[in-house]
Amino acid sequence: SFWHSFVHHLAYSLWTFIEQRGSPHFLIMGDVCVKAYDAFGTELEEGCWVEPTTMYGKEFGWAPARILAIASKSITCEWPGWAPRVYELKDIRLYGLKRVAVDRWGNKLKINTSVVNSAGARGQVLSCQAKDVTIVFRGTDFVNYRQRDID
């Protein structure tokens, strides 16, 4: 049918485009990198954290790394105990770098993790996304935090 052929052609065209140009992990205007993305399509920002998700990440002990800089077609990450390293698109894919939320010491936050805020109030992580974390503290409503709020 027409629609079946149309959808098939569209999917093939998209796949060919991605194979030829690579997936859109860097949005570039001129010589300036406007945005960078992790291996799963989540936007990366300086100061956010990533973790490896492929078997190649074992060399880093699977620990999260802080993004120090985003440049044209590359990012610079600092792993605990390692010197900063530059990663291009192929490296982001190879290591499966994925944006994660961490506590102020660089430990990955997970659902049901107990936390203490700067005022000493105890809370529990209810939801953990790449860009924000929802925490409930005793006697309060849910609070959403971005990584910059946690740091």
Side-chain angles (χ1 to χ4, degrees):
S1 76
F2 169 76
W3 288 110
H4 178 73
S5 297
F6 176 75
V7 170
H8 178 73
H9 175 72
L10 186 62
Y12 178 77
S13 298
L14 179 61
W15 179 257
T16 302
F17 175 79
I18 290 172
E19 284 293 308
Q20 290 174 353
R21 299 198 178 222
S23 59
H25 291 289
F26 292 94
L27 178 61
I28 301 169
M29 296 178 70
D31 242 2
V32 179
C33 179
V34 178
K35 293 184 179 183
Y37 299 88
D38 70 9
F40 300 88
T42 303
E43 184 179 347
L44 298 174
E45 302 164 330
E46 289 182 4
C48 76
W49 293 72
V50 294
E51 71 174 355
T53 61
T54 66
M55 65 180 217
Y56 301 102
K58 289 182 181 179
E59 86 179 70
F60 304 112
W62 301 101
R66 181 183 287 275
I67 294 183
L68 300 177
I70 298 176
S72 179
K73 299 185 180 183
S74 68
I75 61 173
T76 303
C77 297
E78 184 174 35
W79 302 90
W82 291 62
R85 294 180 63 175
V86 176
Y87 295 90
E88 297 177 349
L89 176 59
K90 64 180 175 54
D91 303 316
I92 292 172
R93 289 181 183 159
L94 176 69
Y95 294 107
L97 296 182
K98 178 181 179 180
R99 184 173 176 167
V100 295
V102 300
D103 64 16
R104 60 188 278 191
W105 299 281
N107 301 311
K108 182 179 173 183
L109 290 172
K110 300 176 186 175
I111 294 175
N112 293 328
T113 301
S114 294
V115 296
V116 178
N117 69 9
S118 59
R122 295 192 176 278
Q124 189 167 9
V125 176
L126 293 181
S127 165
C128 193
Q129 308 299 320
K131 290 187 174 186
D132 58 16
V133 178
T134 303
I135 300 174
V136 63
F137 292 97
R138 291 185 188 151
T140 66
D141 291 330
F142 304 110
V143 180
N144 287 323
Y145 290 95
R146 302 271 302 178
Q147 188 64 57
R148 65 179 167 265
D149 301 324
I150 297 170
D151 292 339

